[in-house]
Amino acid sequence: MVVAIRNSEPLGVDVVADLLRAMGDDYRMSSGGRTLAVREMRAGSLLIHLWDAAQFAFDSAATIVTLVEFTKLIRGAIEATKKGRSVDSKGRGMKTVRALIKASRESHAEIEIDYEGPNERIQVRLSRLDAEQITLREVDKPVLKRLPSITGLSAPQSRIDQEIEAFARTAARDDRFVDPPQGDGLLSIIGTLVHALLELPGGRDRLQEITRRLRSSGDETAAVFLEGFMGKPLDRG
């Protein structure tokens, strides 16, 4: 499965993270607990190659069927919103639809999802015009309001910190920091988020706080990995 975001305005890393998280959640729910993983990411117009995590070890007919059904699910959910269904519906796939609309609106993007399997090809398209015309209830002001503050930051300021910490914990849990595979998509996302954080005022101190929280919960390998972006270990005081 390939997600293509053809944007004409800057695409925030938090928007990409929200989209990947939404797709992962919807895939897990619709597939009975399976994991959707990043296989590859390419720059330019952002191309994100996704696959079922089980395919890392073997190609399975079950994973192919699941990806086909998931792509159809997203296509159906988008079509439902175009026909006037509330985008804040709790229906399957709606979390992904909200994230796609948000990405399109914020970066003026045309978005396509393309799955090509052995026997069929499924294409989903969300135009910028579609995204603007769909009635949005939870997209304009998303989950930022519900996120707790981190080290005194407002919720919008702390979002990137939370994403870095969450993704780093996931990578540590999956042992991705030990002999990581070439082109690991999750590690690429973490790197992109960290570099974006370091460009912000106080970014170094915020990254230091993230590594302290990781260490306090036993995620030493994740903390060391994040420190690598600084060029030298951070103060552990």
mmCIF file of all heavy atoms in Angstrom, residues 134-163:
data_model
loop_
_atom_site.group_PDB
_atom_site.id
_atom_site.type_symbol
_atom_site.label_atom_id
_atom_site.label_comp_id
_atom_site.label_asym_id
_atom_site.label_seq_id
_atom_site.Cartn_x
_atom_site.Cartn_y
_atom_site.Cartn_z
ATOM 1 N N ILE A 134 -15.850 18.831 2.842
ATOM 2 C CA ILE A 134 -16.404 17.916 3.840
ATOM 3 C C ILE A 134 -16.570 18.648 5.166
ATOM 4 O O ILE A 134 -15.697 19.400 5.588
ATOM 5 C CB ILE A 134 -15.491 16.687 4.016
ATOM 6 C CG1 ILE A 134 -15.490 15.843 2.738
ATOM 7 C CG2 ILE A 134 -15.932 15.837 5.201
ATOM 8 C CD1 ILE A 134 -14.481 14.723 2.745
ATOM 9 N N THR A 135 -17.698 18.456 5.801
ATOM 10 C CA THR A 135 -17.951 19.082 7.097
ATOM 11 C C THR A 135 -17.065 18.447 8.150
ATOM 12 O O THR A 135 -17.099 17.238 8.365
ATOM 13 C CB THR A 135 -19.423 18.911 7.510
ATOM 14 O OG1 THR A 135 -20.242 19.514 6.518
ATOM 15 C CG2 THR A 135 -19.676 19.567 8.862
ATOM 16 N N LEU A 136 -16.257 19.269 8.782
ATOM 17 C CA LEU A 136 -15.293 18.782 9.757
ATOM 18 C C LEU A 136 -15.721 19.200 11.160
ATOM 19 O O LEU A 136 -15.930 20.374 11.413
ATOM 20 C CB LEU A 136 -13.904 19.355 9.470
ATOM 21 C CG LEU A 136 -13.388 19.162 8.045
ATOM 22 C CD1 LEU A 136 -12.039 19.805 7.894
ATOM 23 C CD2 LEU A 136 -13.320 17.703 7.703
ATOM 24 N N ARG A 137 -15.815 18.238 12.034
ATOM 25 C CA ARG A 137 -16.164 18.559 13.411
ATOM 26 C C ARG A 137 -14.992 18.379 14.366
ATOM 27 O O ARG A 137 -14.861 19.108 15.315
ATOM 28 C CB ARG A 137 -17.339 17.687 13.873
ATOM 29 C CG ARG A 137 -18.596 17.968 13.076
ATOM 30 C CD ARG A 137 -19.760 17.192 13.636
ATOM 31 N NE ARG A 137 -20.959 17.406 12.848
ATOM 32 C CZ ARG A 137 -22.129 16.820 13.092
ATOM 33 N NH1 ARG A 137 -22.238 15.988 14.105
ATOM 34 N NH2 ARG A 137 -23.171 17.058 12.332
ATOM 35 N N GLU A 138 -14.171 17.365 14.125
ATOM 36 C CA GLU A 138 -13.054 17.122 15.026
ATOM 37 C C GLU A 138 -11.718 17.410 14.357
ATOM 38 O O GLU A 138 -10.687 17.298 14.983
ATOM 39 C CB GLU A 138 -13.060 15.663 15.499
ATOM 40 C CG GLU A 138 -14.257 15.324 16.359
ATOM 41 C CD GLU A 138 -14.167 13.929 16.896
ATOM 42 O OE1 GLU A 138 -13.188 13.233 16.624
ATOM 43 O OE2 GLU A 138 -15.097 13.524 17.583
ATOM 44 N N VAL A 139 -11.724 17.792 13.090
ATOM 45 C CA VAL A 139 -10.460 17.940 12.379
ATOM 46 C C VAL A 139 -9.847 19.311 12.588
ATOM 47 O O VAL A 139 -8.658 19.461 12.769
ATOM 48 C CB VAL A 139 -10.653 17.669 10.875
ATOM 49 C CG1 VAL A 139 -9.383 17.923 10.110
ATOM 50 C CG2 VAL A 139 -11.117 16.246 10.672
ATOM 51 N N ASP A 140 -10.693 20.369 12.589
ATOM 52 C CA ASP A 140 -10.146 21.712 12.703
ATOM 53 C C ASP A 140 -9.377 21.910 14.008
ATOM 54 O O ASP A 140 -8.352 22.562 14.045
ATOM 55 C CB ASP A 140 -11.272 22.743 12.619
ATOM 56 C CG ASP A 140 -11.877 22.802 11.227
ATOM 57 O OD1 ASP A 140 -11.125 22.568 10.269
ATOM 58 O OD2 ASP A 140 -13.072 23.079 11.099
ATOM 59 N N LYS A 141 -9.909 21.359 15.107
ATOM 60 C CA LYS A 141 -9.225 21.427 16.387
ATOM 61 C C LYS A 141 -9.159 20.006 16.936
ATOM 62 O O LYS A 141 -10.026 19.584 17.689
ATOM 63 C CB LYS A 141 -9.968 22.350 17.353
ATOM 64 C CG LYS A 141 -9.930 23.794 16.895
ATOM 65 C CD LYS A 141 -10.563 24.719 17.908
ATOM 66 C CE LYS A 141 -10.480 26.160 17.447
ATOM 67 N NZ LYS A 141 -11.095 27.091 18.429
ATOM 68 N N PRO A 142 -8.104 19.275 16.542
ATOM 69 C CA PRO A 142 -8.041 17.849 16.842
ATOM 70 C C PRO A 142 -7.672 17.561 18.290
ATOM 71 O O PRO A 142 -7.827 18.381 19.173
ATOM 72 C CB PRO A 142 -6.980 17.345 15.866
ATOM 73 C CG PRO A 142 -6.110 18.520 15.633
ATOM 74 C CD PRO A 142 -6.985 19.731 15.755
ATOM 75 N N VAL A 143 -7.111 16.377 18.492
ATOM 76 C CA VAL A 143 -6.926 15.848 19.832
ATOM 77 C C VAL A 143 -5.954 16.652 20.682
ATOM 78 O O VAL A 143 -5.764 16.346 21.841
ATOM 79 C CB VAL A 143 -6.407 14.393 19.769
ATOM 80 C CG1 VAL A 143 -7.474 13.481 19.211
ATOM 81 C CG2 VAL A 143 -5.144 14.319 18.924
ATOM 82 N N LEU A 144 -5.338 17.708 20.138
ATOM 83 C CA LEU A 144 -4.394 18.485 20.921
ATOM 84 C C LEU A 144 -5.019 18.965 22.231
ATOM 85 O O LEU A 144 -4.365 19.032 23.259
ATOM 86 C CB LEU A 144 -3.927 19.708 20.113
ATOM 87 C CG LEU A 144 -3.055 19.418 18.894
ATOM 88 C CD1 LEU A 144 -2.804 20.708 18.135
ATOM 89 C CD2 LEU A 144 -1.747 18.792 19.301
ATOM 90 N N LYS A 145 -6.286 19.319 22.212
ATOM 91 C CA LYS A 145 -6.945 19.831 23.403
ATOM 92 C C LYS A 145 -6.945 18.809 24.532
ATOM 93 O O LYS A 145 -6.954 19.162 25.697
ATOM 94 C CB LYS A 145 -8.395 20.207 23.081
ATOM 95 C CG LYS A 145 -8.543 21.531 22.355
ATOM 96 C CD LYS A 145 -10.010 21.876 22.278
ATOM 97 C CE LYS A 145 -10.195 23.274 21.691
ATOM 98 N NZ LYS A 145 -11.632 23.630 21.613
ATOM 99 N N ARG A 146 -6.965 17.536 24.171
ATOM 100 C CA ARG A 146 -7.107 16.507 25.172
ATOM 101 C C ARG A 146 -5.769 15.978 25.670
ATOM 102 O O ARG A 146 -5.714 15.135 26.549
ATOM 103 C CB ARG A 146 -7.940 15.343 24.618
ATOM 104 C CG ARG A 146 -9.305 15.767 24.147
ATOM 105 C CD ARG A 146 -10.194 14.545 23.935
ATOM 106 N NE ARG A 146 -9.695 13.673 22.901
ATOM 107 C CZ ARG A 146 -9.984 13.831 21.611
ATOM 108 N NH1 ARG A 146 -10.738 14.826 21.216
ATOM 109 N NH2 ARG A 146 -9.508 12.981 20.727
ATOM 110 N N LEU A 147 -4.659 16.452 25.081
ATOM 111 C CA LEU A 147 -3.353 15.960 25.475
ATOM 112 C C LEU A 147 -2.855 16.696 26.708
ATOM 113 O O LEU A 147 -3.002 17.907 26.815
ATOM 114 C CB LEU A 147 -2.340 16.161 24.338
ATOM 115 C CG LEU A 147 -2.601 15.331 23.094
ATOM 116 C CD1 LEU A 147 -1.624 15.734 22.007
ATOM 117 C CD2 LEU A 147 -2.486 13.854 23.384
ATOM 118 N N PRO A 148 -2.257 16.004 27.662
ATOM 119 C CA PRO A 148 -1.756 16.676 28.854
ATOM 120 C C PRO A 148 -0.537 17.518 28.540
ATOM 121 O O PRO A 148 0.180 17.280 27.571
ATOM 122 C CB PRO A 148 -1.389 15.501 29.782
ATOM 123 C CG PRO A 148 -1.062 14.391 28.842
ATOM 124 C CD PRO A 148 -2.008 14.556 27.678
ATOM 125 N N SER A 149 -0.276 18.490 29.374
ATOM 126 C CA SER A 149 0.904 19.343 29.211
ATOM 127 C C SER A 149 2.144 18.578 29.608
ATOM 128 O O SER A 149 2.129 17.735 30.498
ATOM 129 C CB SER A 149 0.756 20.594 30.081
ATOM 130 O OG SER A 149 1.946 21.342 30.082
ATOM 131 N N ILE A 150 3.254 18.869 28.936
ATOM 132 C CA ILE A 150 4.536 18.252 29.270
ATOM 133 C C ILE A 150 5.493 19.351 29.696
ATOM 134 O O ILE A 150 5.693 20.331 28.961
ATOM 135 C CB ILE A 150 5.124 17.486 28.073
ATOM 136 C CG1 ILE A 150 4.302 16.239 27.793
ATOM 137 C CG2 ILE A 150 6.572 17.087 28.334
ATOM 138 C CD1 ILE A 150 4.835 15.390 26.682
ATOM 139 N N THR A 151 6.105 19.213 30.865
ATOM 140 C CA THR A 151 7.076 20.164 31.403
ATOM 141 C C THR A 151 6.611 21.604 31.234
ATOM 142 O O THR A 151 7.380 22.477 30.829
ATOM 143 C CB THR A 151 8.460 19.978 30.730
ATOM 144 O OG1 THR A 151 8.344 20.211 29.309
ATOM 145 C CG2 THR A 151 8.990 18.587 30.953
ATOM 146 N N GLY A 152 5.345 21.867 31.503
ATOM 147 C CA GLY A 152 4.840 23.219 31.480
ATOM 148 C C GLY A 152 4.484 23.758 30.115
ATOM 149 O O GLY A 152 4.077 24.907 29.986
ATOM 150 N N LEU A 153 4.613 22.951 29.070
ATOM 151 C CA LEU A 153 4.293 23.404 27.725
ATOM 152 C C LEU A 153 2.795 23.324 27.499
ATOM 153 O O LEU A 153 2.096 22.522 28.111
ATOM 154 C CB LEU A 153 4.999 22.531 26.680
ATOM 155 C CG LEU A 153 6.528 22.517 26.708
ATOM 156 C CD1 LEU A 153 7.036 21.479 25.726
ATOM 157 C CD2 LEU A 153 7.091 23.888 26.370
ATOM 158 N N SER A 154 2.301 24.133 26.576
ATOM 159 C CA SER A 154 0.906 23.996 26.182
ATOM 160 C C SER A 154 0.759 22.707 25.393
ATOM 161 O O SER A 154 1.741 22.134 24.915
ATOM 162 C CB SER A 154 0.478 25.190 25.319
ATOM 163 O OG SER A 154 1.159 25.163 24.071
ATOM 164 N N ALA A 155 -0.489 22.238 25.220
ATOM 165 C CA ALA A 155 -0.708 20.980 24.491
ATOM 166 C C ALA A 155 -0.148 21.026 23.078
ATOM 167 O O ALA A 155 0.520 20.092 22.652
ATOM 168 C CB ALA A 155 -2.199 20.657 24.477
ATOM 169 N N PRO A 156 -0.389 22.122 22.281
ATOM 170 C CA PRO A 156 0.190 22.154 20.937
ATOM 171 C C PRO A 156 1.710 22.094 20.947
ATOM 172 O O PRO A 156 2.319 21.448 20.106
ATOM 173 C CB PRO A 156 -0.321 23.488 20.369
ATOM 174 C CG PRO A 156 -1.572 23.762 21.121
ATOM 175 C CD PRO A 156 -1.296 23.248 22.508
ATOM 176 N N GLN A 157 2.340 22.762 21.935
ATOM 177 C CA GLN A 157 3.797 22.752 21.997
ATOM 178 C C GLN A 157 4.331 21.369 22.352
ATOM 179 O O GLN A 157 5.405 20.987 21.912
ATOM 180 C CB GLN A 157 4.271 23.762 23.047
ATOM 181 C CG GLN A 157 4.106 25.210 22.650
ATOM 182 C CD GLN A 157 4.490 26.150 23.782
ATOM 183 O OE1 GLN A 157 4.116 25.956 24.930
ATOM 184 N NE2 GLN A 157 5.237 27.177 23.452
ATOM 185 N N SER A 158 3.592 20.633 23.161
ATOM 186 C CA SER A 158 4.096 19.355 23.645
ATOM 187 C C SER A 158 3.805 18.201 22.701
ATOM 188 O O SER A 158 4.316 17.101 22.905
ATOM 189 C CB SER A 158 3.490 19.038 25.020
ATOM 190 O OG SER A 158 2.092 18.822 24.908
ATOM 191 N N ARG A 159 3.014 18.418 21.643
ATOM 192 C CA ARG A 159 2.646 17.320 20.751
ATOM 193 C C ARG A 159 3.860 16.622 20.168
ATOM 194 O O ARG A 159 3.949 15.386 20.192
ATOM 195 C CB ARG A 159 1.747 17.857 19.638
ATOM 196 C CG ARG A 159 1.577 16.908 18.437
ATOM 197 C CD ARG A 159 1.027 15.542 18.836
ATOM 198 N NE ARG A 159 -0.337 15.625 19.306
ATOM 199 C CZ ARG A 159 -1.394 15.547 18.507
ATOM 200 N NH1 ARG A 159 -1.232 15.374 17.227
ATOM 201 N NH2 ARG A 159 -2.597 15.612 19.005
ATOM 202 N N ILE A 160 4.815 17.374 19.640
ATOM 203 C CA ILE A 160 5.965 16.741 18.986
ATOM 204 C C ILE A 160 6.784 15.959 20.010
ATOM 205 O O ILE A 160 7.303 14.884 19.719
ATOM 206 C CB ILE A 160 6.825 17.792 18.235
ATOM 207 C CG1 ILE A 160 7.876 17.078 17.369
ATOM 208 C CG2 ILE A 160 7.496 18.753 19.197
ATOM 209 C CD1 ILE A 160 8.599 18.021 16.438
ATOM 210 N N ASP A 161 6.877 16.485 21.254
ATOM 211 C CA ASP A 161 7.599 15.774 22.308
ATOM 212 C C ASP A 161 6.947 14.421 22.570
ATOM 213 O O ASP A 161 7.623 13.397 22.717
ATOM 214 C CB ASP A 161 7.605 16.595 23.594
ATOM 215 C CG ASP A 161 8.153 17.994 23.423
ATOM 216 O OD1 ASP A 161 7.614 18.723 22.561
ATOM 217 O OD2 ASP A 161 9.088 18.367 24.154
ATOM 218 N N GLN A 162 5.624 14.420 22.632
ATOM 219 C CA GLN A 162 4.893 13.189 22.900
ATOM 220 C C GLN A 162 5.069 12.176 21.782
ATOM 221 O O GLN A 162 5.202 10.974 22.036
ATOM 222 C CB GLN A 162 3.412 13.495 23.096
ATOM 223 C CG GLN A 162 3.132 14.275 24.365
ATOM 224 C CD GLN A 162 1.688 14.714 24.449
ATOM 225 O OE1 GLN A 162 1.098 15.131 23.460
ATOM 226 N NE2 GLN A 162 1.107 14.616 25.622
ATOM 227 N N GLU A 163 5.060 12.656 20.526
ATOM 228 C CA GLU A 163 5.227 11.737 19.403
ATOM 229 C C GLU A 163 6.616 11.111 19.419
ATOM 230 O O GLU A 163 6.769 9.905 19.194
ATOM 231 C CB GLU A 163 4.997 12.480 18.077
ATOM 232 C CG GLU A 163 3.594 13.025 17.894
ATOM 233 C CD GLU A 163 2.551 11.939 17.720
ATOM 234 O OE1 GLU A 163 2.914 10.751 17.669
ATOM 235 O OE2 GLU A 163 1.359 12.281 17.642
#
